[in-house]
Amino acid sequence: MSNPEGSPADPSAAEKSLLPPAGALRCSNSERERTSAALHKALGDGRLSMDETEERLGKVYAARFRHELDALTIDLPAPEMRAGWGLVIGMARQQFVDDVAALIVRPADGGSSRVRRAVLAAAGLAVLLFVIAMIVFVLHGVVGDGPEYWDGSR
């Protein structure tokens, strides 16, 4: 008795299932979290039932590619896009937090990277020099008295 073509027992079908669709990009954890937040918002707005939300959330965390996430929210309104400096500052803040976390957390192998140590040492030196410069400026009155000294009248 032969297996029908495309069945899981067929080795070529199993190999094909591991290949991503053409042009597919893997999704990240942050993309999964954004999709999850959109589904929770839709639940709160009354657009989805609890059962449908739970079903879609299961698919969110099982998704491997971006198009799978997009398919879960295609029937929901697009989120309102924020604009302006608030968004830029928020994104810069998040990038800074992510970068600092990447530097502070030790590598999974338990070792310590030379680059990581060099960056931490340079950052510490920069902070120390900044603090020393501020102390010198305050002690010498560079920042204290304002523009009356700038015109050379004294």
Side-chain angles (χ1 to χ4, degrees):
M1 180 174 202
S2 67
N3 288 331
E5 188 171 323
S7 69
D10 185 9
S12 62
E15 289 173 6
K16 288 180 185 177
S17 70
L18 296 176
L19 296 176
L25 294 174
R26 288 203 174 261
C27 56
S28 68
N29 288 337
S30 63
E31 290 167 330
R32 287 186 188 95
E33 290 303 319
R34 275 195 299 273
T35 304
S36 172
L39 292 173
H40 281 101
K41 182 174 181 340
L43 174 65
D45 291 345
R47 297 182 191 277
L48 295 174
S49 69
M50 182 63 86
D51 292 335
E52 190 173 13
T53 303
E54 288 176 3
E55 177 186 337
R56 290 186 188 199
L57 285 172
K59 292 178 182 178
V60 164
Y61 294 106
R64 292 180 11 195
F65 301 102
R66 286 183 180 173
H67 71 275
E68 295 170 332
L69 294 177
D70 294 338
L72 296 171
T73 57
I74 195 80
D75 61 338
L76 300 174
E80 296 176 14
M81 296 301 293
R82 291 185 341 181
W85 286 107
L87 178 64
V88 173
I89 291 170
M91 291 172 62
R93 181 190 152 283
Q94 185 61 46
Q95 184 64 49
F96 177 75
V97 168
D98 292 345
D99 291 344
V100 169
L103 286 173
I104 292 174
V105 174
R106 293 207 178 267
D109 61 1
S112 181
S113 163
R114 280 188 194 170
V115 174
R116 181 176 158 272
R117 285 185 295 191
V119 169
L120 285 174
L125 180 63
V127 168
L128 180 65
L129 290 175
F130 178 76
V131 168
I132 291 172
M134 289 297 106
I135 292 171
V136 168
F137 286 155
V138 168
L139 291 177
H140 288 283
V142 174
V143 254
D145 294 331
E148 62 268 10
Y149 290 115
W150 297 349
D151 63 0
S153 62
R154 280 192 168 186

